[in-house]
Amino acid sequence: MTDYGSARVRTAAKPSGQVYARRRLIAGLVAGALGQLLVATLLGFLLAGGLAYGVRVMATLFSGMIATPLLFTAGFALMFKNDSRSLGGGVVLGAFLASLLLVVLYLLL
């Protein structure tokens, strides 16, 4: 039998749902950014297979326009489920930030 004090300490030590939501958001942010860059790189190198390296890089930056809606769709599909809503939001945010990175790189090159 436990007393009231030990039950209260055990309840206070348990992380809340907001902590898990924040962890899922960060995991989705990383997954979305890496997924965006990976899909854009693969598509870019497939599109410009036998050409020079500079053309491949530009094709990678250009193929970000294909990868962005793909990952946005995946993120919004994850947001339909209540348990993975923050994960889907992180995927969308990560894909958006990676798209901004690709746009900046495109403008600099």
Side-chain angles (χ1 to χ4, degrees):
M1 187 165 162
T2 61
D3 60 341
Y4 177 71
S6 65
R8 191 168 64 175
V9 168
R10 192 176 25 209
T11 311
K14 190 189 281 187
S16 68
Q18 292 175 348
V19 173
Y20 291 124
R22 192 176 316 126
R23 288 178 187 168
R24 284 191 296 267
L25 180 73
I26 299 298
L29 184 78
V30 171
L34 289 178
Q36 166 78 14
L37 295 175
L38 181 71
V39 169
T41 304
L42 288 176
L43 286 175
F45 275 69
L46 285 175
L47 286 174
L51 300 174
Y53 186 73
V55 176
R56 286 182 182 181
V57 171
M58 292 306 273
T60 297
L61 298 176
F62 190 70
S63 66
M65 293 188 329
I66 299 168
T68 302
L70 181 74
L71 282 163
F72 277 9
T73 304
F76 284 124
L78 281 172
M79 289 169 67
F80 279 128
K81 238 179 123 179
N82 202 15
D83 295 339
S84 63
R85 184 164 292 157
S86 57
L87 179 69
V91 168
V92 170
L93 184 63
F96 178 72
L97 292 177
S99 295
L100 286 180
L101 175 72
L102 289 175
V103 166
V104 167
L105 287 176
Y106 183 76
L107 292 176
L108 289 177
L109 293 179

